[in-house]
Amino acid sequence: MFIGFDYGTANCSVAVMEGNTPRLIPLEGDSCFIPSTLCAPTRESVSEYLYRFFGLTPSDKLGEQILRSAIANNREEGIELMHGDLVFGQAALDTYLDDPEEVYYVKSPKSFLGATGLRDIQIRFFEDLVCAMMSNIKQQAESHLQQDITQTVIGRPINFQGLGGDKANMQAEAILKNAALRAGFQDIAFQFEPVAAGLDYESQLTEDKTVLVVDIGGGTTDCSMIRMGPSYRDKTDRPDSLLSHCGCRVGGNDLDIALAFENLMPAFGKNSKSQRGIEMPVMQFWNPIAINNVAAQTDFYATSNLKVLDQLRRDAESPQLLQRLIEVHQQTLGYQIVRHAEEAKISLSEQPEFLSSIPLSASQIETHISSGQLAEAIETPASKIVELVQGALTQSQDKPDVIYMTGGSARSPILRALMERELPGVPIVAGDYFGSVTAGLARHAQRTFS
């Protein structure tokens, strides 16, 4: 049996075809979307849990070395894993929020797959993370369908996050493929996420159109200019209909981080000064919330940085603000801050103002954020999305009949207004913001494996 598999930065989902109609499968309770999160007792627990409770062995000698080291480290720490110690989705977030200091929590591992400078041992560990998530999703889907799933088309962005170009893309796709093979998929294909979204939209068309697909995902934004409609729908090979592809490493997470940096981090000391009038170092407020940057997170949460933060607090004009930043370090609260920014972004798509309330050990930090402040905060990442659209238009040397916007952040009226300004008079349509890519991947899987 085959599925379309959207392994997303923010959420994961899968779909099967029932006749000519895709159907998304519940993966967490009644929800067809499971947040791309994982929580374990320790970092090393992930590899050991895969072996003990999923029955999955490493793919090579380096993987075996990681597993042996993980088991030894867990025994040294007195950790005996139990079934259920590795949790996913909303359950993972809830576990992390309950006690952030005592668990290992990962959000959006897809963001790291194309990172440059990764050592082989890091790549294998990311493979374990992805394999664990894929295995859980595969098991949930098979339990619901009461069938084994052996074939899948996995969505991928035009360009993964990372600065390595084609090399980064090859690295990320290889991690996804190896993880999927270990999870039990036998036949694996990939499709660009905006093309998949376009395939789902195409099923509704009664006449041929040139469509600009703008897919604003959690970690990347992708644009594809595609000729589609009844004349193209049933073609297996249709390279002439794909006019252009462009992708950039900017997505919904970047909007959340930008909003958190500009509007939430001042409560932790950003823009404050020392007693001598010197501004606090900006990177100490960027690194904790740069949740898609391995190096930034490592630098901020390093034990040595705690001494730096404590010195900043002693020198600060407003030491109570820097004390809050120290608490962020001690309790690994960067993910929480970005989560509150995401909540504000979502709410501000429907209302003019939002009150953010971040709980700390001794207080609640309340911040009023307006839609105007949101627009100002995300101006830089939003401008990169506009540049991407311009690149797709230039590459295709064509003008679309319609713009099809999808992805969670495509709901933003700010981004929609930017599209209208860039292509005045071109109608903008939207389908299922979260499910169109998954549905299109299932349609492509039907053509690939039937």
Side-chain angles (χ1 to χ4, degrees):
M1 185 176 187
F2 62 80
I3 58 170
F5 196 147
D6 183 9
Y7 182 76
T9 303
N11 296 285
C12 298
S13 55
V14 300
V16 295
M17 293 298 294
E18 295 184 340
N20 292 318
T21 303
R23 179 171 70 88
L24 271 65
I25 303 302
L27 297 176
E28 190 173 38
D30 294 331
S31 176
C32 296
F33 303 95
I34 182 169
S36 302
T37 58
L38 175 152
C39 192
T42 63
R43 185 180 189 273
E44 290 77 13
S45 298
V46 178
S47 301
E48 183 180 352
Y49 197 96
L50 272 178
Y51 174 70
R52 293 200 183 282
F53 297 103
F54 282 101
L56 301 178
T57 56
S59 57
D60 57 21
K61 290 185 177 180
L62 181 56
E64 292 173 358
Q65 176 186 328
I66 292 172
L67 176 59
R68 287 195 300 270
S69 176
I71 293 173
N73 286 337
N74 284 332
R75 294 302 85 75
E76 186 176 327
E77 294 293 326
I79 295 172
E80 292 287 344
L81 288 180
M82 304 288 288
H83 192 274
D85 279 350
L86 190 64
V87 289
F88 306 89
Q90 186 61 43
L93 177 59
D94 292 341
T95 302
Y96 163 70
L97 294 177
D98 186 54
D99 197 351
E101 292 184 84
E102 297 300 323
V103 295
Y104 175 73
Y105 176 74
V106 177
K107 182 180 188 297
S108 309
K110 185 180 178 182
S111 300
F112 307 126
L113 303 187
T116 54
L118 292 181
R119 302 189 305 275
D120 286 345
I121 198 166
Q122 292 174 301
I123 290 174
R124 293 304 188 283
F125 179 67
F126 282 131
E127 182 185 306
D128 279 354
L129 287 175
V130 177
C131 181
M133 295 172 70
M134 286 186 167
S135 296
N136 174 64
I137 289 169
K138 184 172 183 287
Q139 287 183 10
Q140 297 301 319
E142 288 177 336
S143 176
H144 179 83
L145 296 167
Q146 293 296 294
Q147 292 189 62
D148 291 336
I149 301 170
T150 59
Q151 300 172 311
T152 184
V153 172
I154 302 173
R156 55 150 293 181
I158 306 297
N159 291 303
F160 287 87
Q161 284 187 305
L163 303 176
D166 289 341
K167 185 177 180 180
N169 290 333
M170 291 172 61
Q171 171 184 287
E173 188 172 298
I175 292 173
L176 288 174
K177 184 173 183 178
N178 290 337
L181 285 168
R182 288 179 62 199
F185 293 105
Q186 297 173 14
D187 299 310
I188 301 161
F190 290 90
Q191 177 58 276
F192 288 135
E193 288 159 359
V195 173
L199 292 174
D200 191 52
Y201 175 60
E202 183 179 51
S203 66
Q204 310 168 26
L205 294 178
T206 57
E207 59 181 339
D208 291 348
K209 291 182 181 292
T210 300
V211 181
L212 175 64
V213 181
V214 182
D215 177 18
I216 308 174
T220 58
T221 296
D222 296 303
C223 293
S224 290
M225 187 83 86
I226 312 174
R227 290 198 180 105
M228 55 178 59
S231 299
Y232 303 94
R233 192 153 41 220
D234 296 326
K235 292 183 178 180
T236 303
D237 188 23
R238 46 187 290 180
D240 293 342
S241 70
L242 305 177
L243 305 181
S244 67
H245 294 306
C246 292
C248 69
R249 301 163 188 91
V250 174
N253 281 352
D254 299 276
L255 304 181
D256 302 336
I257 291 167
L259 181 61
F261 183 66
E262 294 297 339
N263 294 93
L264 298 182
M265 292 311 291
F268 297 87
K270 177 180 176 284
N271 302 329
S272 68
K273 297 182 179 181
S274 71
Q275 296 173 32
R276 292 179 293 169
I278 300 172
E279 290 192 1
M280 292 292 164
V282 171
M283 294 310 292
Q284 290 289 3
F285 306 98
W286 177 261
N287 287 350
I289 58 172
I291 59 173
N292 53 8
N293 186 319
V294 177
Q297 294 279 282
T298 301
D299 287 349
F300 181 78
Y301 289 112
T303 303
S304 58
N305 193 45
L306 186 57
K307 296 179 180 178
V308 176
L309 294 175
D310 192 50
Q311 185 62 53
L312 290 175
R313 180 188 61 79
R314 290 197 297 268
D315 295 341
E317 190 175 64
S318 304
Q320 74 280 7
L321 300 182
L322 273 296
Q323 183 58 44
R324 292 172 176 174
L325 189 63
I326 289 173
E327 187 170 338
V328 172
H329 181 285
Q330 292 173 328
Q331 298 190 27
T332 322
L333 298 180
Y335 283 110
Q336 284 200 42
I337 295 171
V338 176
R339 176 172 165 266
H340 283 278
E342 181 185 15
E343 289 175 352
K345 179 192 71 177
I346 293 170
S347 296
L348 290 170
S349 68
E350 299 177 349
Q351 60 192 54
E353 192 168 284
F354 179 79
L355 176 62
S356 172
S357 183
I358 301 175
L360 292 183
S361 58
S363 62
Q364 292 275 129
I365 300 177
E366 294 190 342
T367 307
H368 287 273
I369 306 173
S370 69
S371 56
Q373 287 174 309
L374 171 61
E376 187 175 343
I378 67 172
E379 184 175 352
T380 297
S383 67
K384 293 180 180 179
I385 293 174
V386 172
E387 290 174 7
L388 186 71
V389 170
Q390 292 170 342
L393 295 173
T394 300
Q395 194 182 115
S396 67
Q397 292 294 297
D398 206 343
K399 182 179 178 180
D401 299 310
V402 63
I403 303 168
Y404 181 66
M405 294 186 69
T406 189
S409 292
R411 295 173 296 173
S412 168
I414 297 169
L415 298 180
R416 187 183 182 98
L418 290 175
M419 296 299 111
E420 291 172 343
R421 189 175 68 190
E422 193 63 30
L423 287 163
V426 179
I428 298 176
V429 298
D432 183 340
Y433 287 114
F434 295 99
S436 62
V437 170
T438 317
L441 291 171
R443 291 182 186 278
H444 188 65
Q446 187 177 50
R447 296 175 187 174
T448 301
F449 299 122
S450 294

